[in-house]
């Protein structure tokens, strides 16, 4: 058994759940325990559990059979300790309580599994003096410095299967079928699922849409004898008018919408084309279920890499995939940033080449 700089570490999952979290937990813990003799402390409910002291010692049995399970055995929350100014009954802020618990539990390090918010908090905790390693989990694939995040491939698979199924109904009823997928600030999921599912129109947050441009495309399809169309809409898609708004006005406009963006696009398209439109919002379906093999393998690779970084004392970093290799990148380079779809992205250009309309 190799010598390790870490004897005991805590592990938590934070933010929205995603397929592959359990595989990553297993990858970190099994490697840390079997190869380096470390002790693993499981922190329940993300950063909230770190504040409130919800922990338990984890053993080998805890990781048996979890590779294929969706969700997270540790539970999660969207707690943001650095945004809290409240103090507890002992007069401690959330961040101070985290530091106290970290010391009280005898932790040498903390492994945090999550997306942008999770790794941003991890970076702040690292700057506050804790030994932190992050893992990149999100179905949105919007973390910078990594080619891919675990959870993304499973969500693409689920969304694509939904589009495939809706295709048959669209064909039977001669309708415009709108499928709304997740992707609030970045359109990776909508792009990949849309291209894989043969979407006729794909609307992404990165490309403000013009409803008349989409209507022309759909009318042309009808004139060409194609009686139905599939429109894939990311939840963060926005119109050209909205793209010109300041943040406050845009937020107010969205709050006044009676339903999500998919329904608004359906209404706009019915008015512009005269064609009947129907909406399916995939919602949390995209987060759940068994992770696809790629996500299990990727999460395992990230997890084992994190265990080796713990052993070396390589802190303040997030595990990332770059050019096919798992590497550590500084958390401060990841914090607070969003990886958007570039307008010259090859998959986006491939979609255009096969005739997909992106609303512009």
């Amino acid at each position: 058994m190799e010598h390790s700089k870490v004897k005991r570490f805590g592990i938590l999952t934070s933010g929205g759940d995603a397929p592959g979290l359990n595989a990553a937990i297993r990858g970190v813990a099994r490697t840390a325990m079997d190869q380096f003799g470390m002790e693993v402390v499981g922190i329940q409910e993300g950063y909230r559990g770190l504040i409130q002291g919800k922990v338990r010692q984890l053993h080998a049995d805890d990781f048996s059979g979890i590779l294929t399970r969706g969700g997270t055995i540790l539970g999660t929350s969207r707690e943001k300790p650095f945004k809290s100014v409240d103090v507890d009954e002992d007069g401690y802020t959330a961040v101070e309580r985290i530091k106290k618990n970290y010391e009280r539990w005898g932790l040498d390090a903390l492994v945090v599994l999550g997306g942008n918010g999770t790794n941003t908090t991890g970076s702040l905790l690292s700057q506050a003096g804790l030994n932190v390693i992050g893992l990149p989990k999100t179905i949105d694939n919007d973390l910078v410095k990594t080619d891919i995040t675990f959870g993304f491939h499973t969500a693409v698979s689920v969304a694509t299967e939904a589009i495939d199924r809706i295709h048959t109904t669209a064909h039977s009823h001669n309708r415009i079928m709108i499928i709304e997928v997740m992707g609030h600030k970045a359109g990776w999921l909508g792009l990949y699922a849309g291209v894989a599912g043969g979407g006729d129109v794909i609307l992404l947050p990165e490309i403000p849409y013009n409803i008349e441009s989409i209507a022309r495309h759909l009318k042309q399809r009808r004139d060409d004898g194609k009686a139905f169309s599939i429109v894939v809409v990311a939840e963060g898609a926005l119109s050209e008018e909205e793209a010109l708004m300041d943040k406050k006005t845009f937020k107010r406009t969205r709050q006044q919408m009676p339903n999500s963006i998919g329904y608004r696009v359906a209404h706009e398209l019915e008015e512009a084309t005269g064609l009947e439109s129907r909406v399916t919002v995939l919602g949390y379906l995209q987060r759940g279920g068994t992770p696809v093999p790629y996500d299990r393998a990727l999460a395992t690779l990230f997890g084992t890499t994190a265990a080796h970084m713990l052993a070396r004392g390589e802190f303040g970093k997030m595990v990332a995939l770059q050019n096919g290799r798992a590497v550590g990148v500084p958390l401060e380079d990841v914090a607070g940033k969003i990886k958007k779809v570039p307008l010259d992205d090859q998959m986006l250009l491939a979609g255009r080449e096969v005739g997909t309309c992106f609303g512009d």
Side-chain angles (χ1 to χ4, degrees):
M1 195 174 286
E2 294 179 53
H3 176 72
S4 168
K5 292 196 175 180
V6 168
K7 301 290 181 223
R8 181 178 167 89
F9 70 92
I11 186 166
L12 63 82
T13 55
S14 176
D17 71 311
L21 277 169
N22 287 324
I25 292 167
R26 173 180 174 270
V28 178
R30 280 210 163 157
T31 308
M33 293 165 80
D34 296 350
Q35 304 301 321
F36 302 106
M38 297 183 207
E39 289 183 20
V40 186
V41 174
I43 299 161
Q44 304 287 336
E45 298 177 25
Y47 288 116
R48 183 189 299 155
L50 190 55
I51 297 162
Q52 296 178 354
K54 296 180 179 177
V55 294
R56 65 186 176 95
Q57 183 92 16
L58 297 178
H59 305 282
D61 288 352
D62 291 304
F63 314 115
S64 181
I66 69 168
L67 176 67
T68 59
R69 278 171 58 183
T72 163
I73 62 166
L74 295 174
T76 187
S77 69
R78 293 189 181 275
E79 192 76 29
K80 293 179 171 63
F82 284 89
K83 291 196 172 177
S84 171
V85 292
D86 298 333
V87 295
D88 62 17
E89 63 275 9
D90 298 319
Y92 294 119
T93 64
V95 175
E96 287 168 344
R97 180 54 73 186
I98 285 172
K99 288 182 178 179
K100 289 280 180 190
N101 285 338
Y102 182 90
E103 290 167 14
R104 183 159 62 91
W105 301 330
L107 302 182
D108 300 313
L110 196 60
V111 177
V112 300
L113 284 63
N116 185 271
T118 302
N119 283 286
T120 298
T121 300
S123 177
L124 293 170
L125 287 174
S126 178
Q127 290 167 31
L130 274 56
N131 295 328
V132 182
I133 292 174
L135 266 72
K137 168 266 348 171
T138 168
I139 67 168
D140 294 326
N141 194 39
D142 61 354
L143 277 166
V144 299
K145 301 295 179 183
T146 184
D147 296 341
I148 203 95
T149 59
F150 67 85
F152 175 64
H153 270 272
T154 303
V156 169
S157 181
V158 170
T160 303
E161 185 184 350
I163 295 167
D164 290 347
R165 288 172 182 270
I166 286 167
H167 251 114
T168 59
T169 298
H171 194 274
S172 301
H173 288 275
N174 299 343
R175 287 172 174 161
I176 297 172
M177 299 300 268
I178 291 160
I179 300 99
E180 184 184 309
V181 301
M182 286 183 170
H184 188 60
K185 293 180 179 174
W188 297 102
L189 179 54
L191 174 62
Y192 274 71
V195 170
D200 304 301
V201 178
I202 300 172
L203 304 183
L204 309 175
E206 292 85 352
I207 305 173
Y209 71 81
N210 179 304
I211 208 70
E212 292 304 324
S213 175
I214 303 167
R216 278 195 302 274
H217 182 76
L218 297 181
K219 285 176 183 173
Q220 187 61 55
R221 280 179 54 78
R222 181 187 58 190
D223 294 345
D224 291 342
K226 293 166 183 172
F228 73 93
S229 293
I230 298 289
V231 180
V232 179
V233 182
E235 63 184 341
L238 72 167
S239 68
E240 289 178 342
E241 293 77 20
E242 286 175 320
L244 299 173
M245 293 176 183
D246 59 61
K247 232 176 184 178
K248 205 173 178 181
T249 309
F250 175 73
K251 197 173 180 183
R252 191 168 62 246
T253 303
R254 282 303 169 95
Q255 285 170 343
Q256 289 168 353
M257 274 169 44
N259 293 302
S260 61
I261 185 67
Y263 288 93
R264 191 183 78 185
V265 170
H267 177 70
E268 289 171 337
L269 285 178
E270 278 195 345
E271 286 200 331
T273 65
L275 300 169
E276 196 176 5
S277 301
R278 289 291 182 270
V279 183
T280 301
V281 180
L282 297 187
Y284 291 110
L285 275 175
Q286 296 157 95
R287 288 196 185 283
T290 301
V292 296
Y294 182 86
D295 274 336
R296 295 180 216 173
L298 182 64
T300 301
L301 173 63
F302 282 158
T304 57
T305 303
H308 281 270
M309 287 166 65
L310 285 169
R312 292 194 298 268
E314 198 176 322
F315 306 124
K317 291 185 177 180
M318 183 189 80
V319 183
L321 192 74
Q322 294 183 351
N323 301 317
R325 292 189 61 80
V327 298
V329 297
L331 276 166
E332 62 187 354
D333 292 351
V334 177
K337 299 182 179 73
I338 296 286
K339 182 179 74 178
K340 292 179 176 286
V341 178
L343 297 184
D344 62 350
D345 181 78
Q346 283 192 309
M347 190 60 71
L348 181 60
L349 298 178
R352 292 194 190 277
E353 293 284 350
V354 295
T356 306
C357 168
F358 284 90
D360 50 352

